[in-house]
Amino acid sequence: MITFPRDSALETAWSGCLEYMARCVSRRAQLESALASPARDLGLANLDRCRGYAQHLQTILLQQHQQTATLLEEYTAVR
């Protein structure tokens, strides 16, 4: 297989994506543990809003990850 100079850039970018995704999952777990025993002044509505927003961002992250993986697979197939 012929390797191109840009292949290393793609590999670096992809590993960066995986690290970012792992960091996001970790931060969401930290948020969930913090929301398990919140301050009283937050209220239930705000807690639900925080959980919903974090879930929405996680969903977007997963969609973007899948789209990037598909694009990368198609790009390498074309080569």
Side-chain angles (χ1 to χ4, degrees):
M1 176 179 196
I2 299 173
T3 59
F4 296 95
R6 295 182 186 221
D7 286 347
S8 62
L10 284 174
E11 290 174 8
T12 303
W14 182 249
S15 68
C17 288
L18 295 176
E19 291 173 12
Y20 178 74
M21 188 166 172
R23 246 191 347 253
C24 289
V25 169
S26 172
R27 288 179 180 164
R28 180 155 184 252
Q30 290 174 351
L31 176 66
E32 287 296 326
S33 87
L35 292 177
S37 58
R40 291 180 186 241
D41 58 341
L42 279 179
L44 290 177
N46 286 331
L47 291 176
D48 288 339
R49 193 172 295 125
C50 288
R51 283 190 181 103
Y53 186 67
Q55 177 63 36
H56 176 68
L57 291 177
Q58 187 77 28
T59 302
I60 291 172
L61 175 70
L62 290 174
Q63 288 173 349
Q64 288 180 345
H65 179 74
Q66 290 172 348
Q67 290 171 350
T68 304
T70 302
L71 180 66
L72 188 58
E73 286 175 6
E74 291 172 356
Y75 175 73
T76 55
V78 169
R79 297 177 101 186

